[in-house]
Amino acid sequence: MKQRFSIGGMYCAACSARVQKAVSELNGVSSAEVNLIANSMTVEYDSEKQNFVSICEAVKAAGYEAGEYVYKNSRSETKAAELKKTLCRLTASFALLLLLMYFSMQHMIGYPIPHIFHNELVMAVTQLIITVPIIILNFGYFTRGFKNLVRLSPNMDSLIALGSAASFVYSMYILIGLGLKQLGTASILPADSHLYFESAAMILTLVTLGKYLEAKGKNRTGEAVESLMRLTPKTVSVLNSDGSETVHSIAEVREGDLLVARPGEAIAVDGTVESGTSSVDTSAITGESMPQEVGPGDKVTGATMNLSGKLVYRAQRVGEDTTIAQIIHLVEEAGGSAAPISRLADRISLYFVPTVIGIAVITAAIWLIIGESFTTALNAAISVLVISCPCALGLATPAAIMAGIGAGAKNGVLVKSAAVLEMTHSIDAVVVDKTGTVTLGRPRVSEISGDCLTLAASLEHGSSHPLARAVTDYTDELGITPLEVTDFKDHPGLGIEGTLEGRHCLAGNLKLMNRFGVDFSSLTETVSRLESIGATVLLFAADGKATGVIGVKDTVKPDSREAVERMKNMGKRVIMLTGDSEGAAAAVASEVGITEYRSSVMPQDKEIVVRELQQSGSKVAMIGDGINDAPALTRADVGIAIGAGTDIAIESADIVLSGSSLTDAVTAFRLGDAVIKNIKMSLFWAFFYNSAGIPIAAGVLSGIGITLNPMIAAAAMSFSSVCVVLNALRLRRFKK
């Protein structure tokens, strides 16, 4: 069983790593993936050994909260409310901090203060009075931090709590010393007796600022889902049996209802046009900018925009079955998954915080051993604690994944998991199906030889084969009326036979003609020429004599050649597979610039080809659209289904292209490259930042006058996390 949970109380990579570890260790849990950005966890488990409640209890035991994950608009409202609350807390903290800085630093800036504050004790008490409200406003850091510290599961909040608490407690010690001094009792003041109330307040305020900016960025990485949700109208006009219209909620629409969409209104659900013609903007679903012309019998998709004419359409897919609902589900599921590249960061984060605490203690001890003051040692220890927050490390991967998946959805590329997005970056061999992928999948008559049109129209009228439909569509356009056929018989894989006006007639391939002893030697040259240009040849005979040949050819998609060329330029090997003849395969391959192809390939053979490529060391992507592509799509490292394809192909694939263009597959490869590049950039920054920041905070460069105080360390820590989120947000500008 696979289930998604909402997780509360996570603030850094160490948090997410501990939640994941706690759940993964449960008996019956096969996998647990925690997403820090979405505050969610996806768990795959044996329902006989674990259940929803037991998993929630395991999360709670680790120090966090868990519940059912439901993505609704109310969640957006909750996020907005939380963000507003954080902003209010930040504003109040900043106002108090400015007042505190005025008093604590007035001797440096020379601003006048009332004479009463010239007394050291009064000044210290004043700073305390201002600091306490800031601590109260941000007390969550202390409750969460120390709670996890007691549980021996320290996280980012633990570092902040230790750093600011140390500053505050030491300042209280100095304040008590000042009080005893004024009372004339024995002084406990150290030689270097500075107050650090402003450090405690500054740490909390700057961290809150970073959290606010980070939260705004994190929310923006998930805007793709929310923007998709907003595309669906809340109400729709329903056409009644008497011709009147009533406005219904979208939730009330049922399959079979007749719905109305006027110009400027969104299509409410997936359906089929009953009457009216119009242009429909499908860019929200397919990423294509060109409007689609629709009329009676054409399919329309929910969340697309009706541009020009009034449309009456019959609802076919409603509720969770609509295309837009499935897209939202895919994006959400993908955003909740974790990429393999994040595992290293998670493992490091799990042990990072305890290591930092140890480094801070050692730093303080070394400063004291070499004879420096307690104040200097405390400063260094606090700076180490505050600057080394692992947030940037933990945010790098999920922020980029969320932004990347959202960008893909806007461009018609639906990625089912973060792992798939990472694997897409590694693909070096691309296997493409021919019919419906490289070509349009709609055969059309390309050439006719002989007198066979009436015979062809009559015989093929009784067949449902795609080649038969191509012939009948052509003869219908010419206005040829099919004659009645009797004794109709289908020969699978060969053709058809029947009696037409007393004559025994055949339509099919050369094997059928040979079975009935029909001599086609006079048309051998024509047949060979048609096959050489990629046409499928249909032979026709009456009473044992050849009557004519019709060449049927599939048309290559206009942008297939461009797509193949771009794949090659990306360093990918392109192989085309088809069940068609050698001649048809060679013609199409030549037209689109593919040098490697295999013809007469059965469905099971496609899977074998993919497996052979994998065994040779290649990372393989399979692009297809039909039922016969499903085994190969499943076998491939990345299966890519053309959105216009069959349901089983889409279910078998890892990436679904909303459009039917092969260039969308190029977009998927580019997106994978962009996301991985973004993640590596952010991880490098995070590792570099901590590798450089911790030693500097500890004071290794103090000999050349470079030191960090806790306030600067807090600002640097917040800046690091914000930079990672901002870097991820660059992916929102990704275009196909």
Side-chain angles (χ1 to χ4, degrees):
M1 181 177 180
K2 193 173 184 179
Q3 192 168 7
R4 196 171 183 190
F5 295 75
S6 177
I7 307 297
M10 295 193 302
Y11 296 92
C12 66
C15 298
S16 59
R18 294 189 191 285
V19 171
Q20 185 165 312
K21 185 174 184 291
V23 176
S24 298
E25 291 176 347
L26 292 174
N27 183 34
V29 173
S30 55
S31 69
E33 296 179 345
V34 179
N35 189 313
L36 182 61
I37 295 290
N39 290 320
S40 69
M41 173 179 65
T42 303
V43 184
E44 195 165 349
Y45 61 96
D46 185 345
S47 58
E48 294 183 359
K49 297 180 180 179
Q50 296 293 337
N51 54 46
F52 178 85
V53 175
S54 63
I55 293 172
C56 288
E57 288 175 351
V59 174
K60 188 177 180 180
Y64 304 90
E65 301 170 2
E68 184 180 0
Y69 187 94
V70 181
Y71 203 109
K72 294 184 177 179
N73 287 330
S74 59
R75 285 181 59 85
S76 301
E77 295 169 1
T78 302
K79 286 181 180 179
E82 290 176 353
L83 201 62
K84 186 178 179 180
K85 186 177 178 181
T86 303
L87 180 59
C88 292
R89 180 160 57 88
L90 177 62
T91 303
S93 297
F94 253 118
L96 290 166
L97 180 63
L98 289 174
L99 183 63
L100 177 62
M101 297 300 290
Y102 180 87
F103 282 103
S104 64
M105 301 181 69
Q106 59 82 25
H107 62 283
M108 299 173 58
I109 57 183
Y111 287 167
I113 58 173
H115 187 268
I116 190 175
F117 294 108
H118 290 180
N119 181 283
E120 285 184 317
L121 181 60
V122 174
M123 177 62 76
V125 171
T126 302
Q127 292 183 39
L128 171 65
I129 292 171
I130 300 172
T131 303
V132 168
I134 298 176
I135 290 176
I136 293 172
L137 284 168
N138 300 280
F139 203 70
Y141 295 118
F142 296 95
T143 55
R144 293 188 300 265
F146 286 119
K147 186 185 293 183
N148 283 298
L149 198 60
V150 170
R151 291 193 176 106
L152 301 180
S153 314
N155 61 356
M156 180 212 74
D157 288 336
S158 302
L159 298 178
I160 295 168
L162 284 171
S164 55
S167 297
F168 183 81
V169 171
Y170 181 70
S171 298
M172 287 298 297
Y173 173 78
I174 298 299
L175 188 150
I176 293 170
L178 290 172
L180 293 174
K181 181 181 177 182
Q182 293 209 5
L183 291 172
T185 60
S187 177
I188 59 172
L189 290 173
D192 188 11
S193 56
H194 294 296
L195 292 169
Y196 285 92
F197 286 123
E198 77 278 5
S199 293
M202 181 74 78
I203 290 170
L204 296 172
T205 304
L206 289 179
V207 169
T208 301
L209 172 63
K211 285 295 168 189
Y212 174 74
L213 295 175
E214 181 186 307
K216 285 199 70 174
K218 285 165 65 177
N219 288 350
R220 289 177 67 190
T221 63
E223 279 182 357
V225 176
E226 294 177 23
S227 63
L228 288 172
M229 295 179 69
R230 288 193 293 268
L231 292 173
T232 304
K234 290 183 172 55
T235 59
V236 62
S237 294
V238 178
L239 186 64
N240 303 313
S241 56
D242 60 359
S244 63
E245 294 181 23
T246 54
V247 177
H248 288 205
S249 163
I250 192 72
E252 297 174 328
V253 175
R254 297 292 180 264
E255 186 178 343
D257 286 349
L258 281 177
L259 310 177
V260 179
R262 292 179 172 77
E265 293 180 350
I267 305 295
V269 299
D270 297 2
T272 302
V273 177
E274 294 286 326
S275 65
T277 58
S278 183
S279 297
V280 178
D281 180 1
T282 63
S283 59
I285 303 297
T286 65
E288 298 294 334
S289 58
M290 291 297 293
Q292 178 185 346
E293 301 297 325
V294 298
D298 290 330
K299 303 288 186 182
V300 288
T301 305
T304 57
M305 184 62 67
N306 183 26
L307 299 178
S308 53
K310 177 182 176 181
L311 292 176
V312 177
Y313 60 103
R314 190 173 298 277
Q316 290 183 320
R317 291 185 176 182
V318 300
E320 295 298 313
D321 294 329
T322 62
T323 300
I324 190 67
Q326 292 175 11
I327 290 174
I328 291 170
H329 178 71
L330 278 177
V331 174
E332 271 213 280
E333 284 292 309
S337 62
I341 197 171
S342 66
R343 292 169 188 163
L344 175 62
D346 289 342
R347 285 196 297 270
I348 292 173
S349 297
L350 193 61
Y351 305 102
F352 186 80
V353 176
T355 302
V356 168
I357 294 173
I359 293 173
V361 173
I362 293 170
T363 297
I366 291 174
W367 280 110
L368 291 173
I369 290 170
I370 64 176
E372 293 292 335
S373 67
F374 181 79
T375 301
T376 301
L378 184 66
N379 260 334
I382 293 172
S383 296
V384 169
L385 288 171
V386 174
I387 201 170
S388 56
C389 170
C391 282
L393 200 62
L395 287 170
T397 299
I401 291 293
M402 287 283 287
I405 287 171
K410 288 183 177 180
N411 288 278
V413 178
L414 307 176
V415 183
K416 292 186 177 181
S417 74
V420 167
L421 197 58
E422 182 176 342
M423 178 57 70
T424 303
H425 168 71
S426 306
I427 295 299
D428 54 21
V430 181
V431 177
V432 296
D433 170 57
K434 180 181 78 69
T435 306
T437 303
V438 176
T439 66
L440 292 172
R442 297 192 296 271
R444 297 185 64 86
V445 172
S446 61
E447 189 173 329
I448 301 165
S449 180
D451 184 16
C452 60
L453 283 178
T454 301
L455 187 155
S458 303
L459 275 179
E460 301 290 11
H461 190 72
S463 175
S464 60
H465 194 280
L467 296 178
R469 287 201 300 272
V471 172
T472 55
D473 286 346
Y474 182 78
T475 56
D476 287 346
E477 290 175 5
L478 295 177
I480 298 173
T481 303
L483 304 176
E484 184 179 356
V485 177
T486 58
D487 302 324
F488 183 88
K489 188 175 182 181
D490 187 15
H491 297 273
L494 300 174
I496 52 180
E497 69 173 307
T499 301
L500 180 66
E501 294 183 329
R503 296 187 302 166
H504 178 253
C505 299
L506 298 170
N509 56 26
L510 190 59
K511 290 181 179 179
L512 180 69
M513 300 304 160
N514 290 336
R515 175 181 289 188
F516 286 90
V518 180
D519 182 14
F520 261 87
S521 58
S522 61
L523 294 171
T524 300
E525 186 178 337
T526 301
V527 172
S528 298
R529 180 175 53 79
L530 287 171
E531 287 180 342
S532 69
I533 62 172
T536 299
V537 180
L538 299 177
L539 309 177
F540 297 89
D543 290 335
K545 295 181 179 180
T547 59
V549 174
I550 295 180
V552 179
K553 187 178 179 183
D554 196 0
T555 305
V556 171
K557 293 178 180 178
D559 53 3
S560 288
R561 184 176 184 86
E562 178 194 350
V564 171
E565 186 177 348
R566 290 174 67 184
M567 289 181 195
K568 288 182 175 180
N569 291 338
M570 296 171 74
K572 303 185 191 301
R573 176 185 174 191
V574 183
I575 305 101
M576 187 183 77
L577 304 180
T578 179
D580 281 351
S581 64
E582 168 68 19
V588 172
S590 175
E591 188 172 348
V592 298
I594 294 176
T595 56
E596 292 184 73
Y597 64 90
R598 298 194 190 184
S599 59
S600 304
V601 178
M602 301 300 289
Q604 61 270 28
D605 296 331
K606 292 183 179 181
E607 187 269 342
I608 292 171
V609 171
V610 171
R611 194 191 318 158
E612 288 173 350
L613 287 168
Q614 290 172 326
Q615 290 171 349
S616 68
S618 295
K619 298 294 183 182
V620 184
M622 170 69 194
I623 308 174
D625 72 318
I627 294 175
N628 62 340
D629 299 321
L633 288 168
T634 304
R635 167 64 64 179
D637 296 289
V638 177
I640 303 176
I642 300 290
T646 62
D647 289 343
I648 190 168
I650 293 171
E651 286 296 320
S652 303
D654 303 300
I655 296 175
V656 178
L657 308 178
S658 298
S660 57
S661 173
L662 196 58
T663 56
D664 288 341
V666 178
T667 302
F669 295 136
R670 288 180 50 241
L671 179 65
D673 290 344
V675 169
I676 297 303
K677 182 180 179 181
N678 190 281
I679 291 173
K680 288 181 177 179
M681 187 184 299
S682 292
L683 285 176
F684 172 79
W685 161 252
F687 280 117
F688 171 79
Y689 170 82
N690 281 296
S691 299
I694 292 176
I696 294 173
V700 297
L701 299 181
S702 60
I704 58 174
I706 299 177
T707 59
L708 289 177
N709 65 46
M711 292 178 287
I712 296 175
M717 182 273 287
S718 298
F719 176 74
S720 174
S721 298
V722 172
C723 281
V724 167
V725 174
L726 290 176
N727 185 45
L729 287 176
R730 295 191 301 114
L731 290 168
R732 297 172 73 243
R733 300 198 299 267
F734 179 88
K735 299 291 184 184
K736 58 165 65 183

